[in-house]
Amino acid sequence: MRWSPRHPLLLPLVLLALLGGCRRPTRSGEEASAPAPGSLGTVTVKGSDTLVVLGQRWAEQFMKDHPGASIQVTGGGSGTGIAALINGTTDIAMSSRSMQDAEKQQARRRWPRGPVELAVARDGITFYVHERNPVDSLSLAQLQAIYLGDTRNWKDVGGADAPIIVYSRESSSGTYVFVKDAVLKGQDFTERAQTLPGTAAVVNAVSLEPDGIGYGGVAYARGVKELKVRVGEHDEAVPPTPATLQSGAYPLSRELYFELPREPTGLTRSFIDYVLSPEGQRLVTDAGFFPVK
């Protein structure tokens, strides 16, 4: 039957067919609306609080260079980002640690071709104390004893006779996991540690507490003193500088990652290409981190 305005029942059917042709599958196989005219699409980026500020800077510059693209960056911690990746609710998970084997297995159940891990920046973990604290350096063993709760007074590590106020990150943080592995050798943090939801919060707490100690990325050290670290009790204390981090002389350095469900394509690939480009890596340096080689 040829369509005619005189057939009122056919018009709704034609409209439904046309609208159905404008749908596209999402990553999870469900249907979603096609991008609006002039839009290049949206990429969601979620996870590491260490990376969130740098991620936002990458996104802002990329969107300036690519009108119509939307890059949505939020924090919440590395574990939160990885969980979102596994659940299919983010395109990129930012993480300050590698995915654990169990997490990779979970991801493969949903994404058989993944996950894919890309190093996008380098970072150093530093321990912060108040600017007036006389202690300038600690050994890895001394840091371990403080965070296990075995050392509780600054006088035991060369400081004043005052209780050590310990600040830590929440367990979903990749920085928390790094310190637990690299400093505590897998042991649990002292119950006396006060858990804070982000590196900026740790820095702020230490800056206000003369007897405090906390940890986080080098890029966040503002208004606090960064301790030098000795590998052994009698080794030279090494400051967290660009030279010592790049050379490996500073013992607490790490890579920061983008975790993806599979090899990136389309807008996600374009964004990652920008992040790893010379311009994107210059933003890494500007933010206080270190470029990947």
Side-chain angles (χ1 to χ4, degrees):
M1 180 183 296
R2 180 176 297 176
W3 178 81
S4 166
R6 291 188 296 272
H7 296 286
L9 293 178
L10 290 179
L11 181 56
L13 294 175
V14 173
L15 290 174
L16 285 173
L18 291 173
L19 290 172
C22 293
R23 307 288 280 181
R24 61 180 177 86
T26 65
R27 292 176 300 276
S28 62
E30 298 173 354
E31 289 190 343
S33 299
S39 171
L40 298 178
T42 298
V43 174
T44 57
V45 186
K46 185 177 182 66
S48 170
D49 288 314
T50 299
L51 265 175
V52 69
V53 173
L54 177 56
Q56 289 168 346
R57 293 187 184 185
W58 277 328
E60 289 168 4
Q61 188 57 53
F62 182 83
M63 288 187 290
K64 286 180 182 178
D65 297 337
H66 299 79
S70 176
I71 311 295
Q72 300 175 354
V73 180
T74 56
S78 299
T80 299
I82 290 171
L85 183 77
I86 293 169
N87 295 333
T89 55
T90 190
D91 298 294
I92 299 172
M94 299 181 293
S95 182
S96 56
R97 62 172 176 83
S98 291
M99 290 180 69
Q100 300 166 355
D101 289 340
E103 292 168 334
K104 292 178 182 178
Q105 291 174 4
Q106 286 180 288
R108 289 191 188 106
R109 294 191 190 106
R110 188 181 187 100
W111 315 107
R113 297 183 181 180
V116 174
E117 183 173 87
L118 297 173
V120 293
R122 288 191 61 82
D123 184 26
I125 292 300
T126 60
F127 285 81
Y128 318 120
V129 296
H130 195 274
E131 291 179 319
R132 295 199 302 269
N133 192 317
V135 175
D136 291 315
S137 67
L138 291 172
S139 69
L140 289 175
Q142 288 173 321
L143 289 168
Q144 182 188 73
I146 289 171
Y147 272 85
L148 290 178
D150 299 332
T151 297
R152 300 189 177 191
N153 195 297
W154 281 111
K155 69 179 181 180
D156 296 327
V157 290
D161 184 1
I164 300 174
I165 309 302
V166 179
Y167 296 106
S168 183
R169 291 290 312 279
E170 69 280 14
S171 60
S172 63
S173 161
T175 305
Y176 169 99
V177 173
F178 180 89
V179 171
K180 183 175 182 177
D181 291 343
V183 178
L184 304 189
K185 305 303 179 184
Q187 300 177 81
D188 291 330
F189 287 78
T190 173
E191 293 180 355
R192 297 173 54 249
Q194 299 182 37
T195 301
L196 297 174
T199 304
V202 172
V203 170
N204 182 64
V206 172
S207 72
L208 298 173
E209 174 51 70
D211 301 321
I213 185 171
Y215 60 84
V218 294
Y220 288 81
R222 302 288 187 275
V224 291
K225 181 196 290 186
E226 293 178 288
L227 293 177
K228 300 174 185 176
V229 175
R230 302 190 305 276
V231 175
E233 290 297 330
H234 303 293
D235 291 334
E236 181 181 357
V238 181
T241 66
T244 60
L245 283 163
Q246 293 283 28
S247 69
Y250 184 75
L252 298 175
S253 62
R254 61 178 177 173
E255 290 185 321
L256 305 175
Y257 302 100
F258 275 2
E259 307 285 355
L260 301 104
R262 56 179 178 270
E263 289 291 337
T265 59
L267 185 60
T268 301
R269 177 58 182 267
S270 297
F271 177 60
I272 290 173
D273 286 346
Y274 167 74
V275 165
L276 296 176
S277 71
E279 181 181 353
Q281 291 295 295
R282 278 195 295 272
L283 289 181
V284 171
T285 302
D286 293 344
F289 297 98
F290 307 93
V292 290
K293 294 181 180 178

